[in-house]
Amino acid sequence: MQTNSELWLDRTLRIGACGTWWVAGTPGGQTLGTLQLDPDLVAAPAARDRVAATVAALRAANPPGVLRTTELVYDSRRAWLVVATLPKPTVADLLAADRTLPAGAASGIAVDVAETLRALHAAGLHHGDLTAATVVLTGAGAAQLAEVGVLAAVRDAPVDVGADAAAWGALARALATRANDHEASLLIEAAGIAEAGDLTAAARRLALVAADLPDFATRDGLAGMLPTIEPAATPDTAPTAPAIPTQRTGSSVDGVTVRLRFGPGVPDAALLNPRPADPAPPAPPRRARRWLAWLTASVAVALAGTAAAWWFLLR
């Protein structure tokens, strides 16, 4: 697992069911996403252990279509999940834009998500909190899943593929609201199949009937839209970076110490780099040095005189 010795948490991106997403940077200039888990969810050590186990299981399975977690950082009370890319925009952002999607784009997103869920289920894993806000779109229009297994881990919930299938059905219905009438009917049909418990059949049916739609495979139209999609406004309740940068030190699951800094703006290299050793104190002024030399000599003479007096008295 890649480990960054420092992360700069610049500003909040959005609040989700698991906590707050931050825009983070590294000393090398890379922009990452960092999910600060709700402290109440990970207050118990057992909850943090389950999150760590979930991250390790995802790392081992490495299913396609999952937003890759590079680090899990924690201190005594908090935990942060660091992902390889900035998790935006989401399908929730896309839906909030209230624009009709290019023909085939909605079905392509739905099939992407279904295939990723099937890969998770085959590995004995599940998402556990699939919503439009946990589906992230890449620049090319492909769908990736974020926060996989996290909420289920902190709640100690068992793997529930049926719940994932039902959630996929709800996602397909939401996407149908931004598709043309023909494609919307295809998505609603597939949603019904998934909600009946057969996600595989739903995905295969949708992929078959939507294959000829222009944007289903290429996503060129969707990719052209994405730069204009703005993330939903962050609620007023979201934590904000302090005006004066603050610092917190945690450890990654690999045992590496990680410094997390919170503050506004993009820091300069000196602020991001490890703190240098304290400089040597400045030399005192010349007058002070002369005074110190006179004082030292006077003390030495006094001590010598005292020693001579004691020697004379004790002869």
Side-chain angles (χ1 to χ4, degrees):
M1 184 175 292
Q2 176 186 351
T3 307
N4 295 295
S5 60
E6 285 198 334
L7 290 170
W8 183 273
L9 278 65
D10 176 44
R11 63 187 185 277
T12 53
L13 184 62
R14 64 177 179 272
I15 292 180
C18 296
T20 302
W21 279 101
W22 290 77
V23 177
T26 69
Q30 185 180 8
T31 301
L32 307 172
T34 300
L35 175 61
Q36 180 178 333
L37 298 179
D38 186 331
D40 291 337
L41 294 179
V42 290
R48 293 196 294 273
D49 290 344
R50 289 193 297 270
V51 172
T54 297
V55 170
L58 286 169
R59 179 185 180 186
N62 194 28
V66 172
L67 203 61
R68 186 169 61 88
T69 298
T70 61
E71 305 175 26
L72 169 60
V73 183
Y74 55 90
D75 64 10
S76 59
R77 294 179 53 248
R78 294 174 177 81
W80 297 265
L81 282 171
V82 184
V83 297
T85 56
L86 197 60
K88 71 166 192 172
T90 64
V91 169
D93 299 327
L94 192 65
L95 297 175
D98 197 17
R99 292 159 62 180
T100 300
L101 299 178
S107 296
I109 292 169
V111 170
D112 280 355
V113 173
E115 292 303 319
T116 301
L117 290 175
R118 291 179 61 210
L120 287 171
H121 298 166
L125 303 169
H126 70 150
H127 191 291
D129 185 37
L130 178 68
T131 67
T134 58
V135 181
V136 178
L137 299 171
T138 69
Q144 293 187 317
L145 302 188
E147 303 178 36
V148 174
V150 177
L151 192 61
V154 296
R155 292 177 174 174
D156 199 17
V159 172
D160 188 345
V161 297
D164 274 357
W168 183 88
L171 177 68
R173 292 181 186 278
L175 286 166
T177 65
R178 298 293 180 265
N180 62 45
D181 291 343
H182 170 63
E183 187 178 4
S185 66
L186 302 180
L187 285 159
I188 291 171
E189 177 191 11
I193 298 172
E195 290 163 348
D198 196 340
L199 178 61
T200 299
R204 287 176 177 171
R205 172 64 180 169
L206 183 59
L208 177 66
V209 296
D212 293 335
L213 297 178
D215 224 49
F216 178 76
T218 64
R219 315 283 169 86
D220 290 341
L222 178 60
M225 285 180 61
L226 292 181
T228 67
I229 303 298
E230 294 294 330
T234 303
D236 293 338
T237 54
T240 57
I244 300 175
T246 61
Q247 179 174 298
R248 188 179 300 278
T249 299
S251 299
S252 73
V253 291
D254 291 336
V256 177
T257 299
V258 179
R259 181 185 302 168
L260 297 109
R261 296 190 174 196
F262 299 78
V266 179
D268 58 25
L271 194 55
L272 274 174
N273 289 335
R275 183 175 179 270
D278 292 332
R286 181 177 299 177
R287 180 178 298 177
R289 291 201 300 269
R290 287 201 300 264
W291 183 84
L292 287 173
W294 175 84
L295 180 61
T296 302
S298 299
V299 171
V301 170
L303 290 175
T306 302
W310 277 105
W311 178 83
F312 180 79
L313 290 174
L314 295 174
R315 286 182 62 188

